[in-house]
């Protein structure tokens, strides 16, 4: 019908009982809007109804639309039958609602709304510390990549120099996902080299390394394996609900805050519905303070659409509870609002602040969920006493906008940074003067000289 002349198309719409759309991939189609206006404005027109594929964008905005999954023939047939059997009074009611909506939301209003949203994004980006140039590139259209227009690329030499100049305690916070993703590219020797580098950093007396993870404690320890020197590293599991201080054995975990999770049952019921309708998804509900819906192996476009719809429903249902709904790279998570990596790092900073202070912080993350952690570190840096300078490197890994102060673009660069810090630590250790062992250096040197002389003779 889109190719027909407008008068012919309008006449057909006004005499029909229903408009069906079974598109699998469709953006903004104006045909359903034309159908609504034709049925409302033409004299003698029928009170038509809409049966629209849930893959079409208009199915989410036109009120009273019967949304269906076109891949399910039975559901589609039942939706058509239910629409045709709809009482006339109900059909007229929805026709009035649809006509009023289409008449109010004109092209001019849509354009004004889009411009307003762009201005809000630009203002929030600038208030978060971004530049005018980066704020423009994130909401406008550009052919340049984020790497070409970014001005916050982390310089490795700057980090090495700051580490060498540090005299107080140092914090190195690393998201474990950086060490294990992507799994098909992570070779065993690379994993072993990275872990050895982190152990070297942790062996330095005033350097404290924390590995932050969203996984359970048993899975985190299973991945780390029988690593020599693991007791010198701080660990955090389940987004900081469980944590271990450097120097503690691997089986001794602390809990910052005990939480109740009655809301998990409600979130689980809603996620079950979307898991059944989205093939290839699963629910992870065995953690204390969160529940996660994973859709990484599902159809990409369909899963993203379902995740956004589920996120909106969860926010509306759980808005009165102390939880937050977050969406990541390939998952949607509902967690307690007081249990996250940023809260744990705030506790860590307070702990070491009472024990001499910190003058070097390196934080590496790769996910949008690390935004709260980066924001906390930036606030900590801004509130720091000017008499005690602090070198902060809050770095996100990947080509993505972020509130972090710096960015790296590949995992290889992050691995190079970790290994370089390990080498820098070894150099610093080698530069320290070694105290001679009492009563042993001179006799050894005299015996060596005597042997050399006897060999010459």
């Amino acid at each position: 019908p889109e190719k027909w002349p407008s008068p012919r198309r309008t006449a057909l719409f006004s005499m029909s009982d229903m408009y069906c759309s079974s598109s699998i991939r469709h953006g903004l189609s104006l045909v359903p809007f034309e159908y609504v206006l034709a049925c409302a404005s033409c004299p003698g027109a029928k009170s038509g109804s809409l049966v629209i594929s849930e893959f079409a964008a208009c199915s989410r905005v036109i009120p009273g639309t019967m949304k269906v999954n076109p891949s399910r023939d039975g559901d589609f047939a039942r939706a058509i039958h239910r629409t045709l059997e709809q009482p006339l009074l109900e059909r007229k009611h929805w026709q009035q609602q649809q006509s009023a909506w289409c008449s109010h939301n004109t092209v001019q209003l849509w354009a004004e709304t889009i411009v307003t949203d762009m201005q809000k994004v630009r203002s929030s980006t600038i208030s978060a510390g971004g530049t005018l140039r980066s704020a423009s590139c994130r909401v406008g259209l550009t052919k340049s990549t984020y790497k070409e227009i970014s001005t916050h690329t982390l310089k490795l030499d700057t980090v090495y120099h700051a580490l060498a100049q540090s005299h107080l305690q140092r914090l190195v916070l690393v998201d474990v996902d950086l060490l294990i993703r992507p799994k098909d590219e992570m070779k065993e020797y690379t994993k072993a080299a990275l872990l050895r580098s982190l152990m070297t950093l942790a062996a330095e007396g005033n350097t404290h390394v924390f590995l932050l993870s969203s996984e359970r404690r048993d899975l985190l320890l299973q991945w780390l394996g029988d690593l020599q020197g693991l007791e010198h590293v701080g660990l955090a599991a389940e987004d900081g609900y469980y944590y271990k201080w450097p120097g503690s054995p691997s089986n001794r975990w602390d809990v910052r805050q005990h939480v109740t999770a009655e809301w998990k049952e409600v979130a689980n019921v809603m996620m079950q519905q979307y898991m059944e309708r989205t093939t290839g998804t699963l629910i992870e509900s065995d953690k204390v303070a969160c529940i996660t819906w994973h859709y990484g192996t599902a159809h990409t476009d369909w899963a993203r659409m379902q995740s956004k719809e589920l996120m909106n429903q969860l926010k509306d249902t759980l808005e009165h509870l102390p939880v937050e709904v977050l969406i990541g790279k390939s998952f949607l998570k509902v967690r307690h609002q007081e249990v996250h990596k940023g809260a744990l790092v705030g506790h860590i900073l307070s702990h070491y602040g009472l024990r001499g202070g910190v003058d070097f912080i390196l934080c590496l993350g790769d996910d949008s969920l690390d935004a709260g952690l980066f924001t906390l570190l930036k606030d900590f840096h801004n509130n720091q006493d000017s008499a005690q300078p602090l070198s902060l490197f809050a770095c996100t890994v990947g080509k993505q906008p972020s509130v972090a102060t710096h960015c790296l673009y590949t995992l290889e660069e992050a691995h190079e940074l970790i290994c370089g810090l390990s080498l820098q630590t070894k150099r610093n250790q080698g530069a320290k003067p070694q105290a001679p062992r009492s009563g042993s250096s001179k006799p050894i040197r005299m015996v060596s000289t005597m042997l050399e002389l006897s060999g010459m003779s």
Side-chain angles (χ1 to χ4, degrees):
E2 295 182 5
K3 298 182 180 179
W4 291 5
S6 180
R8 184 181 178 186
R9 190 166 63 242
T10 303
L12 174 64
F13 288 161
S14 63
M15 299 306 295
S16 61
D17 296 297
M18 177 178 53
Y19 174 82
C20 292
S21 172
S22 58
S23 59
I24 300 298
R25 289 171 175 258
H26 210 162
L28 179 59
S29 174
L30 299 179
V31 177
F33 301 97
E34 293 181 4
Y35 178 80
V36 170
L37 295 176
C39 293
S41 58
C42 293
K46 294 184 177 181
S47 300
S49 301
L50 296 173
V51 179
I52 307 294
S53 167
E54 57 188 2
F55 295 99
C58 60
S59 67
R60 286 163 171 73
V61 295
I62 303 179
T65 302
M66 182 74 70
K67 293 189 291 185
V68 295
N69 186 345
S71 301
R72 298 183 175 182
D73 298 337
D75 293 346
F76 207 149
R78 284 187 290 271
I80 294 175
H81 181 266
R82 189 161 55 249
T83 302
L84 293 175
E85 295 295 328
Q86 198 173 24
L88 180 60
L89 184 62
E90 185 177 350
R91 294 164 71 95
K92 288 184 176 180
H93 167 75
W94 286 120
Q95 185 189 56
Q96 294 175 0
Q97 297 289 328
Q98 293 166 359
S99 175
W101 191 93
C102 294
S103 301
H104 174 73
N105 292 277
T106 61
V107 175
Q108 180 180 356
L109 180 62
W110 281 21
E112 292 175 355
T113 304
I114 292 173
V115 172
T116 302
D117 291 342
M118 294 171 67
Q119 291 174 343
K120 290 180 179 179
V121 172
R122 180 175 181 272
S123 301
S124 62
T125 303
I126 295 175
S127 62
T131 62
L132 288 173
R133 189 179 182 186
S134 62
S136 301
C137 77
R138 293 176 189 177
V139 298
L141 296 178
T142 176
K143 294 183 179 180
S144 300
T145 63
Y146 183 70
K147 182 174 182 178
E148 293 171 347
I149 57 182
S150 174
T151 57
H152 302 288
T153 305
L154 182 64
K155 306 298 183 183
L156 304 189
D157 292 339
T158 304
V159 182
Y160 302 152
H161 178 74
L163 181 71
Q165 298 298 318
S166 172
H167 300 290
L168 301 179
Q169 299 183 92
R170 311 160 181 167
L171 280 181
V172 179
L173 312 170
V174 182
D175 189 343
V176 174
D177 291 341
L178 288 175
L179 308 179
I180 63 178
R181 292 182 182 176
K183 295 182 179 179
D184 55 344
E185 296 180 6
M186 192 67 178
K187 308 299 183 183
E188 283 300 322
Y189 67 87
T190 308
K191 168 186 170 181
L194 284 171
L195 292 177
R196 285 197 301 269
S197 298
L198 290 172
M199 295 305 105
T200 303
L201 286 173
E204 182 76 6
N206 60 341
T207 303
H208 311 285
V209 178
F210 284 85
L211 301 182
L212 312 178
S213 175
S214 300
E215 298 293 340
R216 303 195 315 266
R217 291 175 293 175
D218 55 339
L219 294 179
L220 177 60
L221 293 176
Q222 179 182 353
W223 182 82
L224 293 174
D226 298 329
L227 186 63
Q228 186 177 4
L230 183 60
E231 65 276 3
H232 300 301
V233 177
L235 300 176
E238 298 190 18
D239 288 330
Y241 184 80
Y242 296 105
Y243 67 99
K244 182 190 84 69
W245 290 106
S248 300
S250 58
N251 59 351
R252 180 182 174 182
W253 295 80
D254 296 327
V255 177
R256 279 198 62 240
Q257 177 182 1
H258 292 279
V259 299
T260 58
E262 294 86 355
W263 48 267
K264 288 180 63 177
E265 184 62 30
V266 179
N268 188 30
V269 172
M270 299 179 67
M271 289 181 177
Q272 286 285 350
Q273 298 176 358
Y274 280 82
M275 185 182 70
E276 293 175 359
R277 64 193 296 184
T278 311
T279 306
T281 62
L282 60 93
I283 299 175
E284 184 182 10
S285 58
D286 53 355
K287 297 178 182 177
V288 177
C290 70
I291 181 171
T292 308
W293 182 58
H294 295 273
Y295 55 87
T297 57
H299 186 276
T300 304
D301 295 338
W302 172 238
R304 288 176 180 174
M305 186 184 304
Q306 293 295 325
S307 65
K308 292 178 181 178
E309 185 174 311
L310 175 58
M311 179 178 65
N312 294 332
Q313 293 191 15
L314 286 170
K315 286 183 176 180
D316 293 340
T317 306
L318 305 174
E319 62 179 352
H320 62 287
L321 296 173
V323 299
E324 52 186 354
V325 184
L326 305 167
I327 190 167
K329 293 180 179 179
S330 59
F331 62 88
L332 187 146
K333 176 182 292 187
V334 182
R335 72 183 183 191
H336 196 279
Q337 62 185 11
E338 298 296 333
V339 179
H340 52 88
K341 297 175 183 176
L344 175 63
V345 171
H347 178 60
I348 294 173
L349 292 173
S350 300
H351 174 81
Y352 288 110
L354 299 174
R355 290 161 175 79
V358 178
D359 63 351
F360 177 90
I361 300 177
L362 171 64
C363 179
L364 298 178
D366 71 333
D367 197 86
S368 59
L369 300 187
D370 296 325
L373 172 58
F374 294 141
T375 302
L376 181 138
L377 291 175
K378 289 173 64 176
D379 293 341
F380 178 79
H381 180 262
N382 295 334
N383 297 329
Q384 191 73 4
D385 187 2
S386 58
Q388 183 176 326
L390 169 65
S391 299
L392 171 64
F393 304 96
C395 180
T396 182
V397 181
K399 298 180 180 179
Q400 57 198 10
S402 175
V403 297
T405 58
H406 300 84
C407 61
L408 295 173
Y409 300 102
T410 63
L411 286 171
E412 288 74 14
E413 292 177 323
H415 297 168
E416 180 183 355
L417 172 62
I418 295 174
C419 296
L421 289 174
S422 173
L423 292 175
Q424 181 68 37
T425 302
K426 291 180 180 179
R427 291 171 184 168
N428 294 342
Q429 292 175 347
K432 294 179 180 179
Q434 302 263 344
R437 297 178 181 176
S438 58
S440 61
S441 58
K442 289 185 178 180
I444 292 177
R445 195 175 298 114
M446 292 175 61
V447 171
S448 176
T449 305
M450 292 177 63
L451 291 174
E452 291 176 1
L453 292 174
S454 62
M456 293 175 60
S457 61

